[in-house]
Amino acid sequence: MKYRLEKPLNAAIGTEKYQCTITWRNGGFIADEPLSQGGGDSGPDPYTLLLSSLASCTLITLRMYIDRKGWDVPEIRVNTNLYSEIKEGNTITVIDRDIYFPQPVPDDQVQRLQDIARACPISKILENQVRVRTFMRRDPETAKRIVYRNEAVAVVWRPELCQHATRCWKELPQVFRPKEKKWVDVDGASAAQIVEQVRRCPSGALAVEWTEKDADTAL
């Protein structure tokens, strides 16, 4: 398993309705709800962000293809919108993507670019099977602890808290081996690698403990 983003996108909300701060690898921006939904309309709403992802991916994919072909297409524009309807008891969401060119483009190129647009990565995600996994960190003091340690580091596992995100054993399989009884091998990687991986556990089931001596060298 390899995540698409090197660092996860982070979002936070305070008490101001309904302003969210979105932080990505190179900065941040605001998301909000429109006035009609009780927000301040200080940034794009979640539906707008979803549609803008498709629109931008479409434009980038088309531009890459056009440049590779050496075609003379100075500008591309995209409109996106969506609606939902209920069919046979199921909610079906339809996204419309309208692509147009302010300057004339030969019809054979237009037809080819329509095919290329359908193949853009975000299109494939939206039209494929998508699951949203939700994890929340828990940290009850009474949870059972199992400790795996060596001279440098101790990995604490709280099985009651585990939500099976699978990040640990898919990203650092030389340490985390769920098919084995002693499933954490703290000698399988450096202490720094183990610490970094444990920090990615979204449920709090994994933690690292250091002796006072080791803590200075680990951080």
Side-chain angles (χ1 to χ4, degrees):
M1 178 178 70
K2 181 176 177 58
Y3 283 103
R4 180 69 187 183
L5 303 182
E6 184 177 342
K7 294 183 178 180
L9 180 142
N10 179 266
I13 191 170
T15 57
E16 184 175 352
K17 297 181 179 179
Y18 288 103
Q19 192 177 101
C20 304
T21 302
I22 313 294
T23 305
W24 61 296
R25 63 181 177 273
N26 198 34
F29 58 92
I30 300 298
D32 202 346
E33 287 287 348
L35 297 174
S36 61
Q37 298 297 319
D41 214 14
S42 60
D45 62 88
Y47 292 106
T48 300
L49 291 172
L50 174 65
L51 292 172
S52 66
S53 176
L54 176 62
S56 59
C57 185
T58 300
L59 292 171
I60 292 168
T61 301
L62 291 179
R63 175 51 64 196
M64 287 179 174
Y65 185 81
I66 289 167
D67 289 349
R68 189 162 60 246
K69 286 291 188 178
W71 292 348
D72 182 18
V73 182
E75 186 177 4
I76 318 160
R77 292 182 175 271
V78 174
N79 290 337
T80 54
N81 212 333
L82 61 79
Y83 65 90
S84 297
E85 57 186 4
I86 297 177
K87 288 186 177 181
E88 300 178 353
N90 297 317
T91 300
I92 306 298
T93 299
V94 178
I95 298 177
D96 285 342
R97 170 177 50 190
D98 304 336
I99 304 172
Y100 61 99
F101 307 94
Q103 295 80 22
V105 175
D107 191 60
D108 60 329
Q109 293 183 9
V110 170
Q111 292 183 47
R112 180 56 181 155
L113 292 174
Q114 187 174 18
D115 293 336
I116 296 300
R118 293 191 184 104
C120 90
I122 297 299
S123 288
K124 289 183 176 180
I125 290 174
L126 292 173
E127 296 190 80
N128 221 322
Q129 292 187 357
V130 177
R131 290 192 305 144
V132 178
R133 305 192 304 168
T134 302
F135 305 104
M136 296 189 72
R137 182 170 289 272
R138 298 165 50 207
D139 192 22
E141 294 293 330
T142 57
K144 177 184 176 181
R145 292 160 44 95
I146 301 175
V147 182
Y148 305 87
R149 69 172 70 246
N150 60 19
E151 294 180 356
V153 65
V155 174
V156 180
W157 179 45
R158 296 179 176 89
E160 297 170 37
L161 306 187
C162 188
Q163 297 174 35
H164 308 293
T166 72
R167 295 176 192 172
C168 55
W169 60 268
K170 286 186 177 180
E171 295 182 338
L172 198 62
Q174 62 268 41
V175 172
F176 301 98
R177 302 173 299 184
K179 292 184 178 180
E180 298 186 19
K181 186 174 181 180
K182 184 180 177 181
W183 76 284
V184 179
D185 179 8
V186 288
D187 296 316
S190 69
Q193 287 177 293
I194 293 173
V195 171
E196 177 61 29
Q197 190 61 54
V198 167
R199 284 174 177 166
R200 298 175 188 171
C201 177
S203 64
L206 292 173
V208 169
E209 291 182 351
W210 299 92
T211 64
E212 184 176 346
K213 172 185 175 182
D214 295 324
D216 293 336
T217 60
L219 301 177

